[in-house]
Amino acid sequence: MTLHIVSKSPYTSSALKECLGAFASGDALLLIEDGTYVLRHPALETLQSAEIYCLEADAAARGQQQLAATMDRVEMINDARWVQLCTEHQPIVSWFR
Amino acid sequence: MPRRAGHFTIWPPMKFSLAVYSAPHSAQSASSALRFAKTVLQQGHEIYRVFFYCDGVQNGNATAAPPQDEIDLTAEWQVLGQQHQLDLVICIAAAQRRGVLNQREAERLERPAANLADGFELAGLGQLTDAVANSDRLITFGS
Amino acid sequence: MSIKSLALCRTAPYGNALAREGIEAVLAAAAMDQAVDLLFLGDGVFQLLDHQSPADIGQKSLRRNLQALPMFGIEQFFVCEKSLAEREITLEQIQVAGAETKTVKDTGSLIASYPTVLSF
């Protein structure tokens, strides 16, 4: 199952939209860098049953930690868990533009 | 196959390769790659190769001089590379276009300076292909 | 026999070097007999559009690089059907001699079938 890594804001980039268009059931989504702004985007609701992860440090850097805390559906993770996710999924697809 | 310990699944050590497309001080992606590489090694996995491509070749530019209170990614890669004998490969075609040259290339192309940082090597795109073929996981750190 | 990887091409040509450098990486892999498939998605489908003439902006035709791929054994291109429809591009406008253009509806399943995906 694929790990999709989105690193751009959904307000300026097609990264999230195109990622969601290529999302298969069982895939997981990881938000990093400006991708952490996806936390406040309604498109996240379309992923009803998927695992969604977000790099805590990247979200906190952008003042998104309080928003993240209110979201049950998103698991905030540290860098060690990021690496672990990469071992658990194959392939890994980066959506960076 | 993974082992189970409590509710965690522990996978055997894996071989990772990273493709880095972003220059230091241009996009967070360049420092994300370093952060990820450090964590991969801390977690007991192996890094087969880091392949710097596109603007990522600037990670091996020894003439960059960031302010002292900012991260020096080139220096950080050098330290990590030395500690773990990492294969830090700069794509030669991408580097020639962007002016990252070793002594031999600078002489061959008749350019005034060589600026490839120690610990990095110039090599062809075949090294990316080889990394794809020989790694368990390849992660792209885009622009 | 090597395991196939996928090059996910999402960048339009000429505006950003990534489109060209992606295809160059694919050519290098193909030249080393490493099997690689291409999926054009989003603005990446613009790489395939015919009648590209970038001489006046000082660039080389990227479509010419794509036309070289069949000589290295890459004889099919996957193209996201939705991306074509969104951009009102017809199949006739993206044909490359020697290669079959296959439109894909379920890009998620296609992507999931490869062990490694390189994004460009």
Side-chain angles (χ1 to χ4, degrees), chain C residues 24-95:
Chain C
E24 285 179 0
V26 170
L27 275 165
M32 286 172 71
D33 289 326
Q34 289 290 326
V36 50
D37 282 336
L38 293 104
L39 169 61
F40 294 91
L41 192 145
D43 277 353
V45 301
F46 287 129
Q47 292 183 29
L48 292 161
L49 206 55
D50 55 11
H51 302 302
Q52 295 175 25
S53 34
D56 287 351
I57 59 166
Q59 294 203 41
K60 294 184 284 188
S61 169
L62 183 61
R63 197 172 143 84
R64 198 157 298 162
N65 288 21
L66 292 174
Q67 286 164 336
L69 290 172
M71 287 184 275
F72 291 94
I74 297 176
E75 287 161 347
Q76 59 175 18
F77 300 146
F78 294 114
V79 184
C80 171
E81 192 177 278
K82 192 174 159 213
S83 304
L84 288 180
E86 281 173 349
R87 289 161 183 77
E88 298 183 17
I89 296 172
T90 64
L91 271 179
E92 294 72 54
Q93 294 172 302
I94 57 164
Q95 295 304 313

Side-chain angles (χ1 to χ4, degrees), chain B residues 19 21 53-55 93-94 97-98 125-130 132-133 135-140 143, chain C residues 2-3 5 16-18 20-22 24-26 28-30 32 34 60 115-120:
Chain B
Y21 299 169
Y53 195 40
C54 306
D55 290 347
R97 286 176 176 137
R98 292 168 175 86
L125 269 167
Q127 296 296 302
L128 177 61
T129 304
D130 174 78
V132 168
S135 309
D136 298 309
R137 296 289 186 273
L138 185 131
I139 326 279
T140 307
S143 42
Chain C
S2 67
I3 299 162
S5 57
N16 190 294
L18 188 59
R20 171 174 306 279
E21 294 190 293
E24 285 179 0
V26 170
M32 286 172 71
Q34 289 290 326
K60 294 184 284 188
T116 307
V117 176
L118 280 160
S119 302
F120 296 109

Side-chain angles (χ1 to χ4, degrees), chain B:
Chain B
M1 280 303 289
R3 287 186 291 126
R4 289 208 157 263
H7 62 287
F8 290 106
T9 306
I10 302 168
W11 290 75
M14 283 192 172
K15 267 191 235 177
F16 282 82
S17 283
L18 281 62
V20 182
Y21 299 169
S22 168
H25 310 287
S26 296
Q28 192 194 340
S29 177
S31 58
S32 295
L34 176 75
R35 213 172 109 198
F36 185 81
K38 284 181 177 175
T39 313
V40 162
L41 295 164
Q42 277 162 10
Q43 299 296 307
H45 300 290
E46 185 189 328
I47 290 184
Y48 181 77
R49 181 166 297 136
V50 184
F51 190 82
F52 297 93
Y53 195 40
C54 306
D55 290 347
V57 299
Q58 297 295 351
N59 284 277
N61 183 347
T63 62
Q68 285 207 334
D69 60 350
E70 287 180 24
I71 188 168
D72 185 343
L73 285 179
T74 304
E76 295 251 0
W77 278 118
Q78 286 174 314
V79 170
L80 196 69
Q82 207 161 33
Q83 282 170 348
H84 298 273
Q85 285 81 51
L86 295 186
D87 199 18
L88 305 176
V89 175
I90 305 275
C91 173
I92 190 165
Q96 284 171 349
R97 286 176 176 137
R98 292 168 175 86
V100 177
L101 307 173
N102 61 13
Q103 195 60 46
R104 200 176 121 205
E105 286 298 293
E107 281 166 20
R108 189 176 70 84
L109 299 166
E110 298 176 13
R111 289 296 182 269
N115 58 351
L116 181 71
D118 289 343
F120 294 82
E121 65 167 314
L122 294 176
L125 269 167
Q127 296 296 302
L128 177 61
T129 304
D130 174 78
V132 168
N134 290 299
S135 309
D136 298 309
R137 296 289 186 273
L138 185 131
I139 326 279
T140 307
F141 288 87
S143 42

Side-chain angles (χ1 to χ4, degrees), chain A residues 34-87:
Chain A
D34 285 352
T36 56
Y37 292 121
V38 168
L39 288 176
R40 47 179 73 238
H41 195 274
L44 210 52
E45 298 302 314
T46 63
L47 285 178
Q48 282 303 333
S49 59
E51 292 167 41
I52 306 170
Y53 303 91
C54 178
L55 274 188
E56 193 159 25
D58 288 14
R62 291 163 174 80
Q64 305 270 83
Q65 62 274 57
Q66 280 181 334
L67 174 67
T70 65
M71 304 184 74
D72 299 336
R73 300 215 32 236
V74 180
E75 186 181 336
M76 303 305 286
I77 62 167
N78 62 16
D79 292 356
R81 182 82 178 101
W82 180 15
V83 169
Q84 194 192 351
L85 281 178
C86 291
T87 64

